[in-house]
Amino acid sequence: MTPYPTITNGTLRVRLLSLQSQAYDEMIAAARTCYSARGLVDPEGAAAWDTEKRNGLSSSIFAAGHHTTLQHSHATFAIEGVTRQTIWSFLHSHPFYNSEQISQRYVTVSHDALTVPESLDAKQRELFSQTAEAQMNAYRQLCEALTPSVRDLYLSLFPARGEDKQTPKAIERRAQEVARYVLPLATHACLHHTVSTLTILRYQRMMTQPDAPTEQRALAEAMAQLLIQAEPEFAQLLQEPIPQDSFAVTDLLAKHGGVVDRQRAQKFVREFDTTLEGKTSKLVDYGAKNEALLAGAVREVLGISADEMSDDDAITAAMNPSCNKALSETMNIGTMDKLTRTLWHPHYSFRKRISHCADSQDQRHRMTPASRPILMAHFTGEPDVITPSLIDQCAQAKQIFDDANAHCWKTANALLESGADAEAVSMILPNALAIRFTQSADLLSLRHKMAMRLCFNAQEEICMASHEEAQQIAEVNPRIGQYLDPPCITRHKAGIAPKCPEGSRYCGHKPWLKND
């Protein structure tokens, strides 16, 4: 493929790495095939069609909402210099993408890898930059302060690895994973991001919505420009972005004090946290007949009556890995397996409070969607963070962490008082910032997420939330809940060795022994 130029906007760099050849022709060919008396139309046939007819067809089906033809072609972008906030709020806030992103858990963060919002004036930029530098310093101090505790924990799990050459790196990474909680949301990431041509057009249309419209616009426009450079005919399908004041949330917030209203946020936060009853994730709704629904669906698949297969037997057939070996597959083939698809019917909803960095990983489970907030609408003016357990257990680290967050909120309040916009202020808030939302999922998608996140290698908060969720499901649907397990226990029940599929990344625990 002919290399396309990189589009640069400030610190943001976007490159088109790949795009299916004849992407526009493929869209036309797919549309014509639907009504072709001669059978399949290939892209070459579509390319030879009259230009006016091609463009007329694409415009008419696009205007009518027949957009599946735009999902056959995908583009992969290399994105650098984008903030964690924009990734969370925009790129990863929908299900139709795939990303591979540099990890703050495993890669040391550079002190200059962040964006200072251009909307700030000189004095505001100085305050923002000084605070961001202090957060970066706190990150380095936390890495150092946490190392002894991390080393003790690691060697307690793997006493034989004391002389292993890889041990120092493993300890360093674990310390970084926790220390990153103080990093600002303005910190950069780089990623490979793959989306369909339809999603590129959606990005263009939705780029002015909260929380980061400035960076979102630069990013969406770069993607669209690169697409059009490669396939100019897509230009006729580009729509103007929705005006920022036309979003319903903009109007609603304007009627209730604007995006930032500390008193309103404080009242909301108190109300929300009370409903959690001390939990990270609280089950707030579930299907009243989840188990009966699942059992009935199993019998429907098999064509077996209720008097021949009880509900208990049907649920066991679908969810016990010793019966349904599809559950132990690492390929996540459940959506393609006739029996496992019965898990789509039970549903659960949870109210959650986790950190921004934990939710940035949680949202990657695209089939367990959530109503994530407009970030600054939750801003109370006071430090509102999730503290990792390792920091809580180390007095020196806790002091560094608390001081960094106090400094951060003091700056955020000062920036707001000086007239800085909410988008710019949100960028100085830390990864530790508490995010509150409701998340719902069908059992099939939730079970897959738990298979990944009940593992002790998972990010601490998501692991904790998943254990709480599994326990609460077991309380209301015990026949279902007994089969919500990490991969090692699932493989143990299925009789597969080794129990842990992670190889050298084995967590050091043996939860399957407790399951016997």
Side-chain angles (χ1 to χ4, degrees), residues 387-445:
T387 306
S389 59
L390 274 173
I391 289 179
D392 240 348
Q393 295 163 14
C394 174
Q396 180 187 3
K398 184 68 162 60
Q399 189 64 58
I400 296 169
F401 182 76
D402 289 345
D403 289 348
N405 289 324
H407 186 185
C408 172
W409 258 263
K410 182 178 179 181
T411 295
N413 282 311
L415 288 171
L416 287 171
E417 295 303 325
S418 67
D421 60 84
E423 176 183 0
V425 176
S426 72
M427 294 289 185
I428 200 63
L429 298 177
N431 280 334
L433 178 70
I435 306 293
R436 297 167 174 85
F437 57 90
T438 295
Q439 186 171 42
S440 298
D442 60 83
L443 177 58
L444 180 62
S445 302

Side-chain angles (χ1 to χ4, degrees), residues 40-269:
L40 188 73
V41 178
D42 59 28
E44 286 71 27
W49 207 29
D50 180 79
T51 299
E52 185 176 345
K53 290 182 178 179
R54 283 159 51 85
N55 292 344
L57 176 61
S58 67
S59 295
S60 67
I61 61 175
F62 185 80
H66 304 310
H67 296 158
T68 55
T69 56
L70 283 158
Q71 293 178 289
H72 293 291
S73 298
H74 285 70
T76 297
F77 297 92
I79 304 173
E80 301 171 273
V82 63
T83 65
R84 300 276 171 167
Q85 169 67 342
T86 294
I87 293 172
W88 172 81
S89 181
F90 189 64
L91 286 183
H92 291 173
S93 64
H94 64 100
F96 307 111
Y97 73 91
N98 188 50
S99 284
E100 308 303 330
Q101 175 183 332
I102 191 169
S103 172
Q104 288 182 340
R105 298 178 74 184
Y106 303 119
V107 179
T108 304
V109 177
S110 171
H111 76 281
D112 59 350
L114 60 86
T115 292
V116 178
E118 293 185 1
S119 64
L120 301 177
D121 62 32
K123 187 174 181 180
Q124 292 168 339
R125 287 175 64 85
E126 181 181 5
L127 177 58
F128 186 102
S129 298
Q130 288 175 349
T131 303
E133 181 64 27
Q135 288 170 292
M136 291 291 182
N137 288 336
Y139 165 74
R140 291 189 286 270
Q141 291 168 8
L142 279 174
C143 285
E144 183 177 344
L146 289 167
T147 295
S149 298
V150 172
R151 182 185 295 110
D152 291 345
L153 177 61
Y154 184 83
L155 293 179
S156 71
L157 292 172
F158 305 105
R161 296 185 185 179
E163 303 300 323
D164 194 303
K165 292 181 180 180
Q166 298 302 316
T167 294
K169 191 64 177 178
I171 293 170
E172 178 187 30
R173 286 176 171 176
R174 177 59 174 145
Q176 286 174 178
E177 177 184 0
V178 179
R180 69 189 172 124
Y181 272 64
V182 296
L183 292 173
L185 302 185
T187 305
H188 289 166
C190 58
L191 63 157
H192 286 235
H193 190 67
T194 300
V195 289
S196 69
T197 51
L198 175 59
T199 297
I200 297 172
L201 300 180
R202 286 173 172 167
Y203 281 160
Q204 171 79 14
R205 184 71 170 146
M206 294 294 292
M207 63 188 180
T208 62
Q209 68 176 327
D211 291 281
T214 303
E215 190 171 36
Q216 290 165 189
R217 176 182 286 273
L219 184 56
E221 287 180 342
M223 288 176 154
Q225 288 174 33
L226 289 168
L227 172 65
I228 292 168
Q229 285 181 24
E231 296 273 351
E233 289 174 295
F234 279 114
Q236 66 176 320
L237 302 182
L238 276 183
Q239 296 181 326
E240 289 297 313
I242 296 175
Q244 194 169 35
D245 58 3
S246 293
F247 287 104
V249 293
T250 304
D251 183 53
L252 289 168
L253 284 173
K255 294 177 180 178
H256 290 274
V259 176
V260 180
D261 184 324
R262 297 173 182 85
Q263 289 186 336
R264 184 193 69 212
Q266 289 169 6
K267 182 179 179 181
F268 161 77
V269 165

